[in-house]
Amino acid sequence: MCGNNMSAPLPAIVPAARKATAAVIFLHGLGDTGHGWSEALAGIKSPHVKYICPHAPVMPVSLNMNMSMPSWFDIIGLSPDSQEDEAGIKQAAESVKALIDQEVRNGIPSNRIILGGFSQGGALSLYTALTTHQKLAGVIALSCWLPLRASFPQGPISGVNKDIAVLQCHGDCDPLVPLMFGSLTVEKLKSMINPANVTFKTYSGLMHSSSLEEMMDVKQFIDKHLPPVD
């Protein structure tokens, strides 16, 4: 799954209750695994959708004094002007694109796949959706930011996902990834893709985590953009 760590365990999967005609690929946050999110998604699942929650490879993380933990790419700092792990982010995006390709080979067209993630995983899902040649059904970006934002041109992108639907969610009491990051990200996104398709929801009192209310919004977004085809 990950080019930089072939020993990464296989993703946690919530299979479709009947034939899978759509998929959600959801990327966890720093130091986590896919298991918790697969359980959360199982709680809002639709019978025709397969949910795939891969596990990040284990690597030393600069932010955490080089301690090794599951991480999609290195994080050097959490301020808007912190240096970013450009090579690691790009390599991680390639791993995600390979996962999407795998589902396409399994018979699910890429435009029936939603890419999502929380925190570092949400950041990677946004970056991947904006740089891939695979047309996707949508992006779910929870408590996150857009990585390598200076690498994107000013103004609209020309790629296949220029009209992609994005649900971006953020707690207004997030101490780790401040709400301001979410607000800056949504403004940047609206300048790059069709702003009518970008939804930004904030949750009062929510810290750096998810909530039932947020998961209901996620379910509504998935149901809208991945309706049953039969």
Side-chain angles (χ1 to χ4, degrees):
M1 193 246 348
C2 286
N4 54 353
N5 185 348
M6 294 314 286
S7 64
L10 290 170
I13 290 175
V14 182
R18 51 175 199 252
K19 183 182 188 305
T21 59
V24 174
I25 298 173
F26 197 92
L27 311 174
H28 64 72
L30 179 68
D32 199 5
T33 68
H35 294 298
W37 285 103
S38 68
E39 286 171 23
L41 291 165
I44 59 163
K45 66 184 180 187
S46 297
H48 62 286
V49 181
K50 174 184 182 183
Y51 303 83
I52 302 153
C53 299
H55 311 294
V58 172
M59 64 175 74
V61 176
S62 301
L63 180 73
N64 291 344
M65 298 176 297
N66 277 333
M67 273 172 44
S68 286
M69 61 191 62
S71 185
W72 299 108
F73 48 86
D74 192 21
I75 295 184
I76 295 120
L78 281 178
S79 65
D81 53 355
S82 293
Q83 186 191 340
E84 293 184 275
D85 174 19
E86 183 173 355
I89 291 165
K90 289 179 171 172
Q91 186 176 14
E94 291 306 315
S95 297
V96 177
K97 291 173 195 175
L99 265 182
I100 296 166
D101 279 339
Q102 200 176 329
E103 289 315 304
V104 172
R105 284 196 298 274
N106 288 340
I108 298 174
S110 68
N111 66 357
R112 294 278 295 164
I113 297 174
I114 284 177
L115 189 55
F118 174 79
S119 194
Q120 188 194 37
L124 179 55
S125 67
L126 278 176
Y127 181 81
T128 305
L130 294 171
T131 55
T132 185
H133 299 302
Q134 301 148 316
K135 188 171 172 61
L136 299 169
V139 181
I140 297 164
L142 310 183
S143 308
C144 67
W145 66 95
L146 176 63
L148 305 179
R149 65 188 186 284
S151 70
F152 291 99
Q154 293 300 311
I157 62 167
S158 58
V160 289
N161 289 318
K162 63 181 190 294
D163 290 316
I164 196 168
V166 176
L167 173 64
Q168 203 187 323
C169 303
H170 220 110
D172 68 359
C173 293
D174 192 325
L176 273 181
V177 181
L179 178 61
M180 180 194 74
F181 281 31
S183 306
L184 288 171
T185 295
V186 83
E187 289 316 309
K188 177 71 176 165
L189 284 176
K190 284 181 170 178
S191 74
M192 294 169 66
I193 59 179
N194 184 343
N197 295 343
V198 179
T199 304
F200 187 43
K201 295 199 173 235
T202 59
Y203 302 89
S204 175
L206 184 65
M207 296 177 72
H208 193 63
S209 64
S210 184
S211 69
L212 191 59
E213 184 189 357
E214 183 182 66
M215 289 309 286
M216 287 298 110
D217 288 333
V218 167
K219 177 174 170 51
Q220 214 171 3
F221 181 83
I222 294 171
D223 290 347
K224 179 180 176 182
H225 296 286
L226 297 177
V229 286
D230 38 10

